[in-house]
Amino acid sequence: MAVIEISNLRKSFGKLEVLKQITFDVHKNDVVAVIGPSGSGKSTMLRSLVHLEEVDGGTIRVLGSRLVEDGVYAKPQDIKKITMKMGMVFQHYNLFPHLTVRENLELAPKMVKKEPADALRQRSSELLTKIGLADRADAYPANLSGGQKQRVAIARALMMNPEIMLFDEPTSALDPELTGEVLKVMKDLAEENMTMIVVTHEMGFAKEAANRVIFMDNGEIIEMGSPAEVFENPRNERTKAFLNRSY
Ligand code: ADP
Ligand code: MG
C-alpha cells in the first residue's frame, strides 16, 4: 500500500526550478534514503510533504488523503490533519531552550491533542528510555550534547504518534563522533517498521537501513532503486560521479 504518493511535483523559487516533475511512491514500512548534491531540491521536496513549502504543481497524497492535487491544495483543516500524520526532524534540532527535555516532548501533544497529563508522562518516559536519555528528563537543551539534542528531537516527533517520519540531514550538524548515536535511534525505528524518508549524506546508513534509495540532482530524480542497485550498479553517469565523490 502506498502511504505517500507524489506525482509531477513542481516548485520554483523565482526563476529557479527547484523541483521538476518529481514522482515516486512510498510504501508502508519503506525506509527511503534520499541522496544527492547540495542544492538538488531534497529539503524542498521533504518540506513540501509537511506543507512547509507550497508546490506550484503536482499531487501529494498521504495515507490516501489529498494534500495537493494538480497544484490545488486541500482545505486548511484537512492540510493540518494530513501533515500531523508525519513527524519531521531537521538538521538543527529546534528544541525549546526554556523547556526541559520532558517538557519539550510533552508540549505539542498537550497543546494540539489535549492529551491527559498521565498518558503524556507515560509516553515521554517510554520514549526517553528508548533513546537512552531517561536520566536527562529534567535537563535543559543547553546542557545536552548535539547528539543528545537530536535524539530528543526524534523523541519529540514520535510523541505525536506519526505514521511516517521524515528526516532532513539529521546528523549533518553533528560532530562525527556523535552521529552514531543518532543513526542508532533511526535504525531502531526502521527495525520497528516505521515508514521513513531520510535525506542523508550517510551512505553507510542508506546502504544498511534503507530498502530504497533515491538519487536527486538539479531538481530531478535521476535514479531510484534498492541500495544494491543504486550503490553497486548505478546506471546514470551523474549517480556514478556523485557516489565517487562521496566515498
Ligand atoms: P538540498 O536540500 O538538496 O540542498 P534545497 O531544497 O534546500 O536543496 O534547495 C534547492 C534550491 O532551492 C537551492 O538552489 C536553494 O538555494 C534554493 N532555495 C531553497 N529554499 C529557497 C527559498 N526559500 N528561497 C529561494 N531559494 C531557495
Ligand atoms: Mg537540504
Side-chain angles (χ1 to χ4, degrees), residues 34-43 169 199-201 203 214-220 222 238-239 241-243 245-246:
V34 181
I35 61 172
S38 178
S40 56
K42 305 181 299 296
S43 293
E169 298 199 31
V199 173
T200 186
H201 291 296
M203 297 302 154
I214 289 176
F215 171 65
M216 279 181 73
D217 192 13
N218 198 20
E220 294 175 289
I222 304 296
R238 281 197 265 173
T239 320
F242 174 77
L243 292 174
R245 276 207 306 277
S246 312

Side-chain angles (χ1 to χ4, degrees), residues 55-59 66-74:
V55 295
D56 303 324
T59 296
R66 165 181 65 102
L67 176 65
V68 55
E69 187 149 327
D70 288 334
V72 180
Y73 273 89

Side-chain angles (χ1 to χ4, degrees), residues 67-245:
L67 176 65
V68 55
E69 187 149 327
D70 288 334
V72 180
Y73 273 89
K75 294 197 288 280
Q77 63 267 38
D78 292 335
I79 290 179
K80 203 162 171 209
K81 270 188 214 149
I82 294 166
T83 54
M84 269 175 55
K85 313 255 188 211
M86 292 173 279
M88 182 139 173
V89 175
F90 301 88
Q91 183 171 344
H92 296 284
Y93 344 98
N94 306 324
L95 298 177
F96 300 107
H98 59 293
L99 299 181
T100 66
V101 164
R102 188 189 290 284
E103 288 164 350
N104 264 280
L105 262 58
E106 295 181 358
L107 183 68
K110 185 162 90 189
M111 305 294 277
V112 179
K113 295 192 173 176
K114 317 265 187 258
E115 285 187 53
D118 51 347
L120 288 178
R121 178 97 192 176
Q122 190 181 340
R123 199 155 76 251
S124 60
S125 295
E126 283 167 11
L127 282 169
L128 287 170
T129 301
K130 185 187 174 95
I131 61 166
L133 289 175
D135 56 338
R136 305 309 306 276
D138 300 318
Y140 285 89
N143 297 319
L144 301 178
S145 72
Q148 290 174 330
K149 281 188 243 192
Q150 194 58 302
R151 281 144 67 197
V152 172
I154 295 171
R156 184 176 58 174
L158 292 171
M159 281 294 288
M160 296 292 279
N161 285 327
E163 308 231 11
I164 301 154
M165 283 286 287
L166 311 177
F167 295 86
D168 193 357
E169 298 199 31
T171 59
S172 293
L174 299 176
D175 292 336
E177 70 271 20
L178 300 178
T179 61
E181 63 193 60
V182 174
L183 294 174
K184 165 81 168 57
V185 169
M186 293 167 61
K187 279 182 194 161
D188 289 348
L189 267 182
E191 271 165 30
E192 291 164 18
N193 291 325
M194 176 62 81
T195 306
M196 298 164 51
I197 305 180
V198 184
V199 173
T200 186
H201 291 296
E202 294 288 337
M203 297 302 154
F205 175 86
K207 275 186 183 172
E208 286 164 35
N211 66 322
R212 292 171 63 214
V213 178
I214 289 176
F215 171 65
M216 279 181 73
D217 192 13
N218 198 20
E220 294 175 289
I221 293 179
I222 304 296
E223 192 146 343
M224 176 155 49
S226 69
E229 284 164 345
V230 175
F231 289 115
E232 318 297 338
N233 251 323
R235 289 158 185 269
N236 189 283
E237 291 306 321
R238 281 197 265 173
T239 320
K240 287 180 197 170
F242 174 77
L243 292 174
N244 282 332
R245 276 207 306 277

